[in-house]
Amino acid sequence: MAVPILLSSLALLALSATAFAAAPMTQEKIPVTVYFESYCPDSVKFLTKQLYPTFLTPLGQYMTVSLIPYGKAKTQRAESGDVTFSCHHGEKECRGNKAIACTLKSPSSTFEDQFKFINCTSSIIAANINMEQYPINDCAAGSIFKANDIQMCMEGA
């Protein structure tokens, strides 16, 4: 069972030791589920400086990573059935979380493609946490994703 976690450096080190000690014998992958926010400085730093670089090492083959772009968001359902979200870092974060969700939902991509794209957008956000427009276009150019497809998904099309 995957336990939602936000790993610290120490926890990541413990994960590494566990993976190398247990995984070669069992070939089981360690589930790593991360709830994060697209504009949260701590989430962005964790993704770009710890989780993604670790995913690219040999340890990555022993991990099953699940990314959940929700973090401290709140969901409200009106009597009409409409659902609205409010995000910890405002509307721009809700849009960023939605862009990430659309990326993760893309049927023509692998998780590696998705994570690479998310790392790209998160790295840009890390450099400018106050930017209003989520950097879809900046990262789509160097990936298999098309900015228009992500935008259409975000609009519910």
Side-chain angles (χ1 to χ4, degrees):
M1 172 197 267
V3 178
I5 53 176
L6 185 61
L7 299 173
S8 68
S9 297
L10 185 56
L12 195 55
L13 181 61
L15 175 67
S16 301
T18 303
F20 283 122
M25 293 173 58
T26 63
Q27 293 302 313
E28 291 182 34
K29 293 190 175 203
I30 297 168
V32 179
T33 301
V34 181
Y35 288 79
F36 67 101
E37 303 164 295
S38 61
Y39 276 84
C40 172
D42 293 329
S43 292
V44 167
K45 183 178 179 183
F46 174 70
L47 286 173
T48 61
K49 301 292 184 194
Q50 293 180 332
L51 186 60
Y52 187 70
T54 301
F55 181 76
L56 295 177
T57 69
L59 176 61
Q61 69 184 331
Y62 299 111
M63 297 170 25
T64 301
V65 177
S66 297
L67 299 174
I68 314 295
Y70 189 80
K72 293 182 182 178
K74 293 182 179 146
T75 306
Q76 297 174 339
R77 183 178 301 273
E79 287 184 28
S80 66
D82 291 343
V83 177
T84 59
F85 297 94
S86 59
C87 295
H88 185 220
H89 296 96
E91 181 59 33
K92 68 181 183 180
E93 183 167 82
C94 284
R95 287 190 309 271
N97 290 352
K98 199 174 211 182
I100 293 169
C102 286
T103 303
L104 292 168
K105 172 179 155 175
S106 171
S108 61
S109 63
T110 66
F111 180 74
E112 289 78 11
D113 295 329
Q114 297 162 1
F115 202 0
K116 182 179 179 181
F117 183 84
I118 293 165
N119 182 67
C120 176
T121 57
S122 296
S123 296
I124 293 170
I125 294 295
N128 185 3
I129 201 75
N130 294 318
M131 72 186 312
E132 287 297 318
Q133 191 68 23
Y134 198 72
I136 296 168
N137 293 332
D138 299 289
C139 297
S143 75
I144 68 161
F145 297 99
K146 294 182 177 131
N148 288 343
D149 291 345
I150 294 172
Q151 290 291 348
M152 286 184 0
C153 171
M154 291 173 65
E155 294 167 9

